[in-house]
Amino acid sequence: MHVRRSRQAIGLPLVLAAAVVALGAVGCTAGSGASAGAEGPGAVAPSSPASDSGAPSASASVSASGSAAASVVTGRWLTADEVVAAAVPDAEVPGSYTNPVSIRTFRKPDPRFKSPSDLACGRVLDAAHAEMNVNTAPTVAEQTFNWKDDAYGSYSYLVSYKKSAAQIVFTLLRDGLTTCRYYEQEGPSGLQKNTVTTVPAPPLGDEAVQFEISTPTEAGRHVTQYTVVRTGHCVATFTKSSDGRVGQAFPPAVIARQITLLVEAQEEAQQEAQEEARR
């Protein structure tokens, strides 16, 4: 079962302007956690203004980690080759088979997937799946994790943005998570009713959020857990689908290792750029 995202280019001048103003005033603050749903690389849902579906909503504090003070983005943005090279290698992913990684190429929106009923949830989905273009399109690497003795797959999206785009996207993600609690979405299997729940975020990177999307199906409850971490110019999203049982989350050690590799890659790229400038 696939709960898909909406595709939403940042033609949101007011929202984007607000995000830029917020960054200028307080920097990158800690995020929240909640909302979206997808099971890996695939079709892209078209975007359109979300309608008020009368779905239940609830106010809640958002779980997140990160610095509440203004942060300075260190390192340099990564090229496609550098992002792929920074992906966690198979040898460091215990309990899995091969875990292929590739650069995302352009794909047309899949008309079978309609936009989420809640606009904030649509923005969260777009941000978590690197479907937002801020100034320039980001470089996106997609990695599939094939776990042994686990029928559910996992995916990661390793995204490198230029300038302050990573901070802007994470701000939009965090802000969307403060209100996104429920959304409905039409897909190939019919109407899906999704509940979004925030959970404590791991203390990783410059800021991080974690949330779960639960969808009832004929086979039982389907849960997709999202962990989104920003480190410098990179935003990494990790998804893990399950039936909601304890112990079926994305391995925290693999997430931590991936973030370390992204930090090291950006520092190395920055050092190379500085050496090149001195020549």
Side-chain angles (χ1 to χ4, degrees):
M1 180 206 125
H2 294 270
V3 183
R4 301 308 302 169
R5 58 198 179 274
S6 72
R7 182 178 182 86
Q8 191 173 15
I10 283 276
L12 304 170
L14 294 179
V15 174
L16 184 56
V20 173
V21 170
L23 284 171
V26 300
C28 284
T29 59
S32 16
S35 165
E39 286 180 52
V44 178
S47 64
S48 63
S51 61
D52 182 359
S53 64
S57 62
S59 60
S61 61
V62 179
S63 298
S65 71
S67 172
S71 61
V72 177
V73 178
T74 60
R76 178 179 67 75
W77 57 270
L78 303 178
T79 65
D81 288 343
E82 290 168 341
V83 174
V84 170
V88 63
D90 290 346
E92 297 187 38
V93 186
S96 70
Y97 300 104
T98 57
N99 308 297
V101 58
S102 61
I103 289 295
R104 176 187 293 175
T105 56
F106 174 79
R107 52 183 181 264
K108 294 182 179 179
D110 189 331
R112 298 177 302 168
F113 295 98
K114 306 306 179 183
S115 298
S117 60
D118 183 89
L119 180 60
C121 292
R123 289 175 182 163
V124 167
L125 289 167
D126 288 339
H129 290 275
E131 296 292 348
M132 285 183 169
N133 293 337
V134 180
N135 299 322
T136 59
T139 299
V140 184
E142 300 174 329
Q143 186 167 18
T144 301
F145 294 86
N146 300 299
W147 307 108
K148 298 177 181 178
D149 303 319
D150 188 345
Y152 293 95
S154 294
Y155 304 91
S156 71
Y157 303 86
L158 311 178
V159 191
S160 177
Y161 295 91
K162 294 183 179 180
K163 299 182 179 179
S164 62
Q167 294 170 294
I168 293 172
V169 168
F170 206 94
T171 295
L172 293 172
L173 168 64
R174 182 195 65 229
D175 290 350
L177 292 173
T178 61
T179 60
C180 172
R181 292 294 175 268
Y182 175 90
Y183 69 93
E184 297 179 357
Q185 186 172 27
E186 284 282 355
S189 60
L191 181 66
Q192 297 170 352
K193 300 180 178 181
N194 309 283
T195 300
V196 180
T197 306
T198 62
V199 295
L204 296 172
D206 296 313
E207 48 191 339
V209 297
Q210 194 169 75
F211 55 95
E212 296 178 347
I213 298 176
S214 179
T215 308
T217 70
E218 293 181 358
R221 189 164 69 113
H222 181 276
V223 178
T224 301
Q225 181 190 73
Y226 282 76
T227 304
V228 188
V229 182
R230 182 186 70 80
T231 177
H233 292 282
C234 293
V235 175
T237 297
F238 306 87
T239 72
K240 177 67 177 71
S241 297
S242 72
D243 57 6
R245 290 182 295 176
V246 176
Q248 294 194 343
F250 201 109
V254 177
I255 295 178
R257 179 55 179 158
Q258 179 60 83
I259 298 307
T260 296
L261 291 173
L262 288 173
V263 170
E264 292 174 349
Q266 292 178 86
E267 291 175 346
E268 182 178 347
Q270 178 68 24
Q271 185 176 22
E272 292 178 354
Q274 292 174 342
E275 292 176 353
E276 182 66 26
R278 287 195 291 266
R279 292 173 186 167

